[in-house]
Amino acid sequence: MSNFSKLYLRARNRSKQTLHRSDISEVLLEKSARSTFDVFLAMPKDDLEDIVTISFNLLENPSFHMSAPVFERLAITYRKQHDYTSEVDSINAFLNDYQPLYGGEMWKDVFIPRLRKAKNLLNKSEKSNF
């Protein structure tokens, strides 16, 4: 099972409703990946549940080829929720499964520093829970 599949299943299991929970998501599912992405970029950044929902909807669409900005927003959203495990997993999913499709070093300068910070925050949160 890929990193993305594990992340998706965990997000789906954690949600009390399915990932297609909002009316906005229902409408967006009927539109093309490009128009969904445009709406995704224009969404208020404090609408955390819809960001996660739309992110997974975009990433599941095989005609969508702009995964890096979606994974970046997903990582930002998980950090705002203090869900550092999902943030680390989403970054690893991008770096392992999607970044090679971009080739070379593209997007590594964005995700590798974010991964280091997320791991530090995860370690701090785990220590504070003891």
Side-chain angles (χ1 to χ4, degrees), residues 13-130:
N13 288 336
R14 193 173 42 205
S15 174
K16 292 181 181 172
Q17 301 169 340
T18 67
L19 286 177
H20 309 293
R21 70 160 188 85
S22 72
D23 294 335
I24 293 173
S25 295
E26 295 290 331
V27 171
L28 292 176
L29 286 173
E30 297 171 6
K31 296 186 180 213
S32 71
R34 182 65 198 162
S35 64
T36 302
F37 184 65
D38 291 340
V39 172
F40 170 78
L41 292 176
M43 285 184 70
K45 293 183 181 183
D46 59 344
D47 194 355
L48 302 178
E49 286 188 41
D50 276 343
I51 289 172
V52 172
T53 299
I54 293 171
S55 296
F56 283 111
N57 289 336
L58 283 168
L59 293 169
E60 288 180 317
N61 186 333
S63 65
F64 182 72
H65 302 291
M66 296 177 61
S67 59
V70 174
F71 273 103
E72 184 179 21
R73 177 72 75 88
L74 198 55
I76 290 167
T77 301
Y78 284 133
R79 185 169 299 174
K80 285 182 178 181
Q81 295 174 338
H82 303 282
D83 185 354
Y84 306 119
T85 301
S86 292
E87 181 182 5
V88 168
D89 289 346
S90 65
I91 294 169
N92 281 329
F94 173 77
L95 290 173
N96 295 329
D97 301 336
Y98 291 84
Q99 192 283 330
L101 301 174
Y102 285 92
E105 298 295 309
M106 193 176 231
W107 288 99
K108 286 185 178 181
D109 61 330
V110 172
F111 286 94
I112 291 176
R114 177 169 280 286
L115 180 60
R116 283 189 206 117
K117 177 72 173 177
K119 285 181 177 179
N120 287 337
L121 291 169
L122 178 61
N123 288 335
K124 286 181 183 178
S125 72
E126 287 174 347
K127 287 179 184 177
S128 69
N129 288 338
F130 289 114

Side-chain angles (χ1 to χ4, degrees), residues 1-14 56 78 86 89-90 93 97:
M1 182 177 289
S2 73
N3 290 330
F4 174 74
S5 298
K6 290 176 188 174
L7 186 66
Y8 174 81
L9 289 174
R10 189 169 62 236
R12 188 174 193 133
N13 288 336
R14 193 173 42 205
F56 283 111
Y78 284 133
S86 292
D89 289 346
S90 65
D97 301 336

